[in-house]
Amino acid sequence: MTLTTDPVALDAWYAVATASEVTHRPDRTRLLGQDIAIDRCRDTGAIRVRPVLHGGEYGDPLPVIERYACVFTTFGNPDTPIVEIEEAGEPDRRVVPCGWFTIRSSGPRIVENFLDMAHFPYVHTDILGSEPNTDVGPYRAEIRADVDEVWATGCHFWQPRGAATERDGSGMMMHIDYRVPSPFIVMLYRVAPSAPDRRDAIALFIQPMGEELCRAQPVEFLVDEISTHTELLHFEQVIFLQDRLILENQVPRRLPLDGQAEIPTRADTASVAYRRWLAAKGLGYGTILPHGQGERA
Amino acid sequence: MDEFMTSRLPDDGAGWIAIGLSDDVPAGCVTGVVLAGRQLALWRDGEGAPHLWEDRCPHRGMRMSLGFVRGNDLACLYHGWRFDGAGQCRQIPAHPELKVSARICMKTFDVAERGGMLWGWHGRDRATGAPEVAASGTAVRSIHAAVPAGAMRVMLEETPGEFFYGLGQLLPVGGHPDLFSLTMEDGTGELVLALQPISSAQCAVHAVLRGQADAALRAECARRMGWLRDSAERGHDDRQGADT
Ligand code: FES
Ligand SMILES: [Fe+2]
């Protein structure tokens, strides 16, 4: 495997490790087809991310930024900084990295799954949804040109047990806003179950190892003081394993950006906006560009 | 790949290919099969009628072979879209009031049930005629072997005695590269084998009994099918080993 030449994929920031887990011993992983090693310099204590070249020696260190409990890096020259998550700065927020999951699918398919409410009753049965409450009401999806992000607002869905704090399973209408600040990062904001006047934020940071193989880590920014770390991890793990069964069985694994390739319905307004946004960017990594657009390496 | 897809089919390249034993797919169940290199979903509705579809939901590409049967419809696991036996989408749960467009439908393939087996039609046009096997058959066993169909065919043609000695002589059925028949020495029954190419490295053989098919004979035939698979894989490994 070699590093992609896709300029859109290269010019983005990616989370590639949990900062607290980086040690002096280099940890090998892969980003965009390139093997990399992550470790903590013995002298300075600083985290380093270096490409592993043929023959095993390390190349020049890549830029590193520690943020949101993660280590971010890039191969290119991103013209935007790492996504700004305001909630992360609030002093009473818990920042909970929920662990890395490996998925045999493309990053864009993973983002789209995260943006999707219609699957809750079928994939996360009795947790994030259940029959007969399958309706996806109208919501608004837009590409915000000023910030170059995709947003879906006014989303609402009936959830039996939408968060780790919801133990009794009596259910509630969950109000959610979705945000895609970068092609491989997706977020949601929802009313905090334990503090109705505030919103929890959850970010999913995707590390595309290859076009059809990713790691992803959900990081939660919570005002929840009740759930233990273990409960939160367990909740995310159950949800993730259910999504993985879907993601690894979608054909094709790469996201088709041609509007005719798959048939959306009104509930897919967010997915349609995301696909348009990616097509306009010309992202070819982990996608299938419309015919005649972009030369694939 | 092309060679694999076409060389084995008789005459015009179209024909029925065995895709499983009737018993493999009970009513209300769905499974994935391969027909001439293509992934398909094979399912039976609540009334037991078999259906063979492209293994891909038109909505977001989910494999339909992981879906679930409700009544006489197959529903997709991802968002629960329901498709009727003709492949037409009838319900989109995210919008229960919506009248579903006729454009939302599955690509369907012709399927037949005959001789205790399920058959899929491979060809550009719709199916003609029924699979040319006798109507009845009692399931024995299907084997899946990590060898190409060609290698399995050669074994069945050239060294059937290794697996079926004492039972009778296995012979190719005229005009069908993938059908074999063995008449029991005592004349009480017939073992029918249908070969299913799966990929350039995999095939399946489906076995049924006609006539006498008591438990002891079925068990014996099933055992021989196990030998056939083991021997095919071993022989194939040896030959591959000799090549390198
Ligand atoms: S992918 Fe089949 S219903 Fe959505
Ligand atoms: Fe999900």
Side-chain angles (χ1 to χ4, degrees):
Chain A
M1 277 250 229
T2 46
L3 182 62
T4 182
T5 54
D6 187 292
V8 184
L10 287 171
D11 286 337
W13 289 100
Y14 298 94
V16 292
T18 308
S20 64
E21 289 168 0
V22 180
T23 66
H24 296 310
R25 238 194 48 214
D27 205 12
R28 286 277 288 268
T29 180
R30 183 173 290 171
L31 179 64
L32 300 173
Q34 171 68 55
D35 283 344
I36 53 173
I38 304 158
D39 66 349
R40 207 173 272 283
C41 174
R42 282 181 192 280
D43 303 327
T44 63
I47 291 177
R48 297 182 292 197
V49 177
R50 293 173 292 175
V52 182
L53 308 176
H54 300 286
E57 68 272 26
Y58 298 124
D60 292 338
L62 300 168
V64 168
I65 294 178
E66 241 184 279
R67 239 180 143 182
Y68 312 131
C70 292
V71 177
F72 286 80
T73 192
T74 181
F75 288 113
N77 302 295
D79 47 17
T80 49
I82 296 173
V83 51
E84 189 57 46
I85 303 172
E86 281 173 28
E87 288 74 9
E90 298 173 5
D92 62 341
R93 289 271 169 179
R94 293 170 67 187
V95 178
V96 185
C98 293
W100 292 95
F101 301 105
T102 302
I103 309 147
R104 298 205 162 273
S105 184
S106 64
R109 284 274 193 205
I110 298 169
V111 168
E112 196 167 276
N113 169 270
F114 191 93
L115 288 175
D116 173 62
M117 290 179 286
H119 77 286
F120 291 163
Y122 298 95
V123 181
H124 309 298
T125 313
D126 296 335
I127 305 173
L128 301 185
S130 71
E131 290 180 295
N133 300 301
T134 57
D135 285 49
V136 175
Y139 64 89
R140 197 182 145 75
E142 59 188 330
I143 297 168
R144 294 191 181 164
D146 53 336
V147 285
D148 194 23
E149 296 187 355
V150 177
W151 281 79
T153 51
C155 309
H156 49 281
F157 200 82
W158 192 88
Q159 298 198 320
R161 191 175 168 260
T165 32
E166 306 295 303
R167 292 197 177 79
D168 59 355
S170 57
M172 64 182 286
M173 186 58 87
M174 196 68 92
H175 292 264
I176 308 171
D177 289 343
Y178 291 100
R179 173 187 183 192
V180 189
S182 144
F184 294 86
I185 298 175
V186 59
M187 296 186 60
L188 68 77
Y189 299 90
R190 59 154 193 234
V191 171
S194 55
D197 56 327
R198 301 179 66 191
R199 294 195 310 174
D200 283 339
I202 301 177
L204 185 70
F205 297 122
I206 298 165
Q207 173 192 340
M209 294 192 274
E211 289 206 71
E212 302 184 357
L213 177 67
C214 294
R215 291 202 312 167
Q217 164 152 260
V219 176
E220 306 192 334
F221 305 86
L222 308 176
V223 285
D224 173 1
E225 285 159 14
I226 307 160
S227 303
T228 64
H229 192 206
T230 313
E231 280 174 319
L232 293 169
L233 256 54
H234 180 76
F235 188 83
E236 284 301 328
Q237 206 148 62
V238 169
I239 297 299
F240 164 77
L241 289 174
Q242 292 171 333
D243 281 325
R244 185 163 76 177
L245 173 71
I246 298 295
L247 286 162
E248 297 194 341
N249 284 289
Q250 277 177 280
V251 185
R253 285 194 173 141
R254 287 186 281 141
L255 189 73
L257 299 184
D258 180 340
Q260 306 297 309
E262 295 180 340
I263 304 174
T265 182
R266 213 174 57 223
D268 301 308
T269 311
S271 130
V272 170
Y274 175 59
R275 290 185 188 200
R276 282 214 191 105
W277 184 61
L278 293 185
K281 286 183 177 304
L283 176 74
Y285 197 80
T287 68
I288 301 167
L289 283 165
H291 191 65
Q293 191 190 338
E295 291 304 307
R296 294 192 46 80
Chain B
M1 192 64 191
D2 277 342
E3 196 254 349
F4 157 70
M5 303 259 296
T6 53
S7 70
R8 49 158 306 284
L9 288 163
D11 309 322
D12 57 354
W16 290 103
I17 299 175
I19 49 176
L21 296 172
S22 292
D23 292 5
D24 291 345
V25 195
C29 291
V30 56
T31 184
V33 296
V34 175
L35 177 72
R38 246 187 139 116
Q39 291 277 350
L40 301 178
L42 171 65
W43 66 285
R44 263 189 221 277
D45 60 33
E47 286 162 20
H51 304 274
L52 187 61
W53 292 355
E54 180 168 30
D55 195 4
R56 183 176 168 274
C57 179
H59 176 218
R60 286 298 180 247
M62 182 64 191
R63 284 196 190 285
M64 292 304 293
S65 53
L66 274 84
F68 54 96
V69 177
R70 286 220 174 143
N72 287 334
D73 297 344
L74 180 63
C76 175
L77 181 64
Y78 200 173
H79 308 95
W81 288 20
R82 272 174 83 151
F83 299 84
D84 68 17
Q88 172 62 47
C89 182
R90 291 287 168 203
Q91 207 204 345
I92 294 179
H95 307 300
E97 310 303 324
L98 188 81
K99 193 177 164 331
V100 180
S101 154
R103 284 188 315 114
I104 306 183
C105 56
M106 284 288 167
K107 183 166 170 50
T108 64
F109 293 77
D110 288 318
V111 61
E113 184 156 31
R114 198 169 165 86
M117 289 185 262
L118 289 156
W119 305 78
W121 177 258
H122 170 62
R124 228 175 332 115
D125 303 316
R126 298 310 280 200
T128 49
E132 287 177 49
V133 288
S136 67
T138 306
V140 170
R141 180 180 183 179
S142 291
I143 55 161
H144 287 258
V147 300
M152 182 63 83
R153 195 177 297 120
V154 167
M155 290 193 67
L156 290 171
E157 281 168 0
E158 294 180 0
T159 57
E162 280 183 33
F163 324 105
F164 299 109
Y165 63 85
L167 290 179
Q169 205 187 349
L170 185 80
L171 294 168
V173 174
H176 284 270
D178 294 338
L179 264 185
F180 296 83
S181 151
L182 177 156
T183 303
M184 296 296 156
E185 260 161 13
D186 61 7
T188 53
E190 180 191 5
L191 178 69
V192 178
L193 305 187
L195 177 59
Q196 175 191 9
I198 290 180
S199 70
S200 54
Q202 254 207 322
C203 69
V205 184
H206 309 288
V208 296
L209 270 169
R210 291 182 47 223
Q212 201 242 18
D214 59 55
L217 182 58
R218 282 170 67 188
E220 183 56 31
C221 290
R223 207 155 64 91
R224 304 299 183 98
M225 293 300 287
W227 295 356
L228 174 63
R229 181 202 51 216
D230 294 346
S231 171
E233 291 185 343
R234 215 176 314 115
H236 194 64
D237 284 350
D238 290 351
R239 280 191 295 280
Q240 300 265 302
D243 286 350
T244 53

